[in-house]
Amino acid sequence: MRKSTIERKTAETQVYIALDLDGEGKVDIETGIGFFDHMLTHIGKHSFMNLEVKVKGDLYIDGHHTIEDTGIVLGQAIKAALGDKTGIERYGDRIVPMDEALILCALDLSGRPYLDIDTPFTSERVGSFETQMVEEFFRAVAVQAGMNLHIQILRGKNDHHIIEGMCKAFAKALAQAVGYNPRIQGVLSTKGMLEV
C-alpha cells in the first residue's frame, strides 16, 4: 500500500496531505489560493494519484508560506509513500503541450535533491498566485522528496498556460517514475540503494 499521510503545523501554516500513489486521480484540494488549488488538482489528476490537500495559512500576509509549506509536505508525502523504492522505474519524463505552451519535465527519484527550472514569467500573478512561487513550490517538493527535477519551457507566452503545462508535465513524469516494474529486483541502482 503506497500511501502516506503527513501533517505539518507551524506558526504560519497548518498543512495536511494524504497521498495514494496507486489511486485513480481523485483530488480534494483546499489551500485558500484558487489558482494553486487548480494546479494541485492537475498534479493529482494527471498522475492518477489520489491527493487530498488541506491548508490553513497566513494569507493575510501573502501566499508564500502556504505555497512553500504545501510543497514541503507534498515532497515528504511522496518520499514516505515510496518507502524503500523497491521496483520503481525511478526516472520519468514528459513533454506536455498546453495551448501555445510546450513544457518539458524530467525527474529522477534518486534521493539526491536538485532543481533546475525555467521561470521567465511576464506577469507577477495569475489570479492571487504569485508566479515567483512556482520555483519555490517545486524546490520544496524536490528537496523533501529527494528528487532531481528539471522543468523547461520549450515554448510559451501565457503564464497561466505555462504554469499549468508545468504541473501536468510534472504529474505525468512523476507517474512514470513511481511506476512499478516487476523486472526490477530491489532498486534500479548499481549502488543497491536510492538515497544520498
Side-chain angles (χ1 to χ4, degrees), residues 94-159:
R94 188 60 62 98
I95 297 175
V96 168
M98 176 65 198
D99 292 345
E100 89 295 343
L102 186 64
I103 310 298
L104 177 149
C105 178
L107 61 87
D108 175 11
L109 296 171
S110 62
R112 298 184 302 277
Y114 182 81
L115 175 68
D116 185 3
I117 187 167
D118 189 15
T119 58
F121 300 116
T122 57
S123 56
E124 291 184 6
R125 296 175 182 273
V126 177
S128 62
F129 180 92
E130 297 172 84
T131 54
Q132 66 180 352
M133 289 309 300
V134 170
E135 184 169 349
E136 299 304 320
F137 169 74
F138 280 115
R139 178 179 291 111
V141 173
V143 168
Q144 296 299 321
M147 177 189 300
N148 183 318
L149 176 60
H150 293 253
I151 302 176
Q152 299 297 320
I153 303 167
L154 304 180
R155 295 282 188 276
K157 296 178 181 178
N158 182 289
D159 288 340

Side-chain angles (χ1 to χ4, degrees), residues 179-196:
Y180 179 75
N181 185 335
R183 298 172 62 194
I184 299 172
Q185 300 298 309
V187 295
L188 188 59
S189 172
T190 56
K191 294 179 181 179
M193 61 186 295
L194 289 175
E195 293 298 332
V196 177

Side-chain angles (χ1 to χ4, degrees), residues 3-168:
K3 299 180 180 180
S4 65
T5 301
I6 307 286
E7 292 187 70
R8 182 176 190 265
K9 294 183 180 181
T10 72
E12 298 168 340
T13 62
Q14 297 178 30
V15 182
Y16 169 91
I17 292 183
L19 176 68
D20 181 355
L21 297 180
D22 302 306
E24 303 83 34
K26 295 178 181 177
V27 294
D28 183 7
I29 314 290
E30 293 178 20
T31 68
I33 303 171
F35 183 75
F36 190 40
D37 289 358
H38 186 46
M39 295 304 102
L40 291 170
T41 297
H42 284 304
I43 290 173
K45 195 72 167 176
H46 290 278
S47 66
F48 299 105
M49 297 176 190
N50 293 348
L51 179 62
E52 182 180 359
V53 179
K54 304 293 182 184
V55 186
K56 292 182 180 178
D58 52 3
L59 295 178
Y60 62 90
I61 295 174
D62 64 12
H64 190 115
H65 300 140
T66 295
I67 296 165
E68 183 176 35
D69 289 5
T70 300
I72 289 170
V73 179
L74 180 58
Q76 292 171 346
I78 291 168
K79 184 175 182 178
L82 283 170
D84 63 7
K85 302 179 184 176
T86 297
I88 67 164
E89 290 282 356
R90 176 180 168 179
Y91 297 98
D93 63 86
R94 188 60 62 98
I95 297 175
V96 168
M98 176 65 198
D99 292 345
E100 89 295 343
L102 186 64
I103 310 298
L104 177 149
C105 178
L107 61 87
D108 175 11
L109 296 171
S110 62
R112 298 184 302 277
Y114 182 81
L115 175 68
D116 185 3
I117 187 167
D118 189 15
T119 58
F121 300 116
T122 57
S123 56
E124 291 184 6
R125 296 175 182 273
V126 177
S128 62
F129 180 92
E130 297 172 84
T131 54
Q132 66 180 352
M133 289 309 300
V134 170
E135 184 169 349
E136 299 304 320
F137 169 74
F138 280 115
R139 178 179 291 111
V141 173
V143 168
Q144 296 299 321
M147 177 189 300
N148 183 318
L149 176 60
H150 293 253
I151 302 176
Q152 299 297 320
I153 303 167
L154 304 180
R155 295 282 188 276
K157 296 178 181 178
N158 182 289
D159 288 340
H160 183 130
H161 296 160
I162 290 169
I163 297 168
E164 185 170 332
M166 286 178 167
C167 291
K168 289 177 176 178

